[in-house]
Amino acid sequence: MIYADNAATSKLDSQALDAMMPYLKDVYGNPSQPYSFSRESKAALRKSREIIAKCINADPQEIYFTSGGTESDNWALKGLCDNIGGRNTIVTSAIEHHAILKTCDSLKNRGYKIQLLQPDSSGVISPSELSSHLSKDVGIVSVMMANNEIGTIEPIKELASMAHEYGAVFHTDAVQAMGHIKIDVKDLGVDLLSASAHKFNGPRGVGFLYVKKGTKLSPLHNGGSQESNMRAGTENIPGIVGMAIALNNNCELIQSSHQHLIQLENQLLSKLKTNVIDFKINGNRDFHLPGLVSLSFPNKEGEMILHRLDLKHICISTGSACDAGREDISHVLKAIKLEKTYAKGTIRISLSKDNTDSEIDIICDELSSIIRS
Ligand code: PLP
């Protein structure tokens, strides 16, 4: 099997798995209990928080553990809403993940106004686009750090600074970017940031929300006093431990992974260009997640390509199937105004540091033969 769908989920880091095992088996004390058996769990929680904070240049008290990206995104927007005074407008982008867009839909039903920023044809949300939407009514701006379908990296530092000029709070969904590009929350100037472990070789079902000290956010739900009374519920210690190790390992390897991934990407694209005459590469080639390649083939069906590659034991994803099943072209491809003939034939190949050049050759050969047939 060749796995080239790492933006959907990624293989668990083996060191992360080893670190998790004791907490799945023997070290099961509830960290909220005062007896000595729980001390090790409590220490693991503290250490994991410190490791994660260090990876993104945050303070440990600014890291809140969650169940993943969807929960972090929901909490960020819903938890901020009650704290933005009379401001009733939320600005986000048209290419966000549904964890943001559907949360905004639900807030619209509660009376908030939602404004959608439009990207350029490469998926960039420009500072000038944000500037035309800012006013004293805007309480929250939320723009993703990197797009999950086309890989474009957004100018977060500039966008956050503009939002602050108008007194708005800035959140970024960094689910695809975390562990893949360098992230320094202080340098970026973001107030909140969402992340999910399974996108950076951590376990599934665990993530975190960074909340800058002093940011007013309501608790996610009510219950116990875990996570400084902000996110009640007994902590997922094995998941949190695995997430910290996976993030730390990925962050240490970022530079060498980048080189490897860019090399694989170049190999993929140059070979494909010699085999297939007509296709488009989506996203911004200068600012994109290394290893995430979105390709559109005219007059083809992405779904068909996916299934034909699956028969050859190659896992990729379509870039056009909308998960709600109502439309055949995703909201992202619509927003970048990709022509329908190309949009329908879009696939996403998302590579990891574990992919090899011989795997790329196989993907290219199989893909070319499907497109030509
Ligand atoms: N945000 C983005 C940009 C994503 O790509 C995803 C998952 O694909 C999510 C949020 C949701 O993350 P999770 O699956 O951890 O809930």
Side-chain angles (χ1 to χ4, degrees):
M1 193 261 285
I2 297 175
Y3 189 72
D5 196 20
N6 290 277
T9 196
S10 58
K11 187 178 174 182
L12 183 60
D13 178 303
S14 59
Q15 281 182 14
L17 175 64
D18 290 346
M20 290 167 72
M21 286 314 282
Y23 301 95
L24 288 163
K25 287 171 74 187
D26 305 320
V27 190
Y28 51 84
N30 187 323
S32 298
Q33 291 295 59
Y35 40 70
S36 49
F37 177 52
S38 287
R39 263 185 225 144
E40 216 180 313
S41 306
K42 209 180 292 176
L45 196 58
R46 193 191 59 241
K47 192 162 171 237
S48 301
R49 208 184 299 280
E50 286 168 2
I51 293 173
I52 289 173
K54 195 160 172 245
C55 288
I56 62 168
N57 193 23
D59 296 334
Q61 310 90 289
E62 295 175 317
I63 305 296
Y64 294 87
F65 295 123
T66 66
S67 70
T70 302
E71 182 179 311
S72 297
D73 284 346
N74 270 263
W75 183 14
L77 297 190
K78 291 175 183 164
L80 283 172
C81 270
D82 302 328
N83 297 286
I84 50 176
R87 298 170 180 244
N88 73 339
T89 302
I90 300 168
V91 174
T92 188
S93 87
I95 58 169
E96 297 296 309
H97 189 271
H98 284 133
I100 291 289
L101 291 177
K102 294 203 175 170
T103 301
C104 286
D105 284 347
S106 84
L107 291 172
K108 199 171 168 183
N109 294 335
R110 278 168 50 184
Y112 291 94
K113 268 203 219 150
I114 309 296
Q115 290 188 12
L116 293 184
L117 304 168
Q118 297 301 325
D120 68 14
S121 61
S122 73
V124 173
I125 306 291
S126 68
S128 62
E129 170 68 1
L130 176 59
S131 157
S132 65
H133 287 79
L134 284 172
S135 72
K136 293 289 175 202
D137 292 333
V138 176
I140 306 168
V141 176
S142 179
V143 178
M144 67 199 325
M145 195 169 288
N147 183 266
N148 49 303
E149 286 190 36
I150 57 174
T152 299
I153 297 172
E154 303 299 345
I156 295 301
K157 189 171 174 171
E158 289 86 339
L159 299 177
S161 148
M162 288 178 75
H164 290 153
E165 275 172 33
Y166 280 80
V169 183
F170 190 89
H171 165 258
T172 186
D173 173 343
V175 167
Q176 289 292 338
M178 185 61 63
H180 301 285
I181 58 173
K182 194 171 173 293
I183 295 177
D184 177 330
V185 287
K186 292 203 172 77
D187 178 54
L188 290 171
V190 298
D191 301 304
L192 296 96
L193 172 150
S194 304
S196 181
H198 72 110
K199 308 287 188 182
F200 51 80
N201 306 99
R204 277 149 284 278
V206 60
F208 66 90
L209 181 67
Y210 157 80
V211 185
K212 187 177 161 187
K213 223 177 284 165
T215 307
K216 285 192 183 136
L217 183 77
S218 300
L220 175 67
H221 42 230
N222 308 113
S225 60
Q226 292 90 352
E227 298 300 288
S228 313
N229 290 306
M230 293 295 280
R231 200 264 186 186
T234 302
E235 302 88 344
N236 171 4
I237 303 287
I240 290 167
V241 167
M243 168 164 71
I245 300 293
L247 183 59
N248 195 49
N249 285 351
N250 266 27
C251 289
E252 278 179 359
L253 288 175
I254 273 183
Q255 267 202 322
S256 61
S257 303
H258 273 199
Q259 280 169 4
H260 178 61
L261 288 167
I262 295 294
Q263 199 180 312
L264 294 182
E265 246 185 64
N266 290 342
Q267 182 189 342
L268 177 86
L269 294 175
S270 67
K271 194 161 184 196
L272 211 55
K273 275 178 194 156
T274 57
N275 290 354
V276 179
I277 303 144
D278 192 6
F279 69 92
K280 280 191 177 165
I281 308 165
N282 304 309
N284 188 295
R285 298 308 295 156
D286 295 325
F287 302 103
H288 78 284
L289 288 176
L292 196 155
V293 187
S294 168
L295 302 170
S296 297
F297 301 93
N299 306 310
K300 300 282 174 200
E301 293 285 337
E303 201 76 11
M304 177 279 291
I305 301 171
L306 180 151
H307 289 297
R308 299 264 314 259
L309 285 173
D310 186 31
L311 291 175
K312 303 288 178 185
H313 312 291
I314 297 171
C315 305
I316 55 111
S317 140
T318 62
S320 62
C322 175
D323 65 359
R326 280 174 275 113
E327 296 173 287
D328 58 357
I329 293 175
S330 82
H331 63 290
V332 176
L333 300 179
K334 271 191 187 155
I336 62 168
K337 300 194 170 63
L338 185 65
E339 302 98 287
K340 205 168 176 181
T341 46
Y342 281 89
K344 281 175 151 245
T346 300
I347 59 166
R348 179 188 69 185
I349 297 173
S350 47
L351 305 168
S352 81
K353 55 184 182 305
D354 298 329
N355 287 114
T356 61
D357 45 5
S358 54
E359 287 182 331
I360 298 300
D361 282 341
I362 298 171
I363 295 175
C364 273
D365 290 342
E366 297 296 352
L367 183 57
S368 308
S369 100
I370 292 167
I371 299 301
R372 284 193 307 243
S373 69

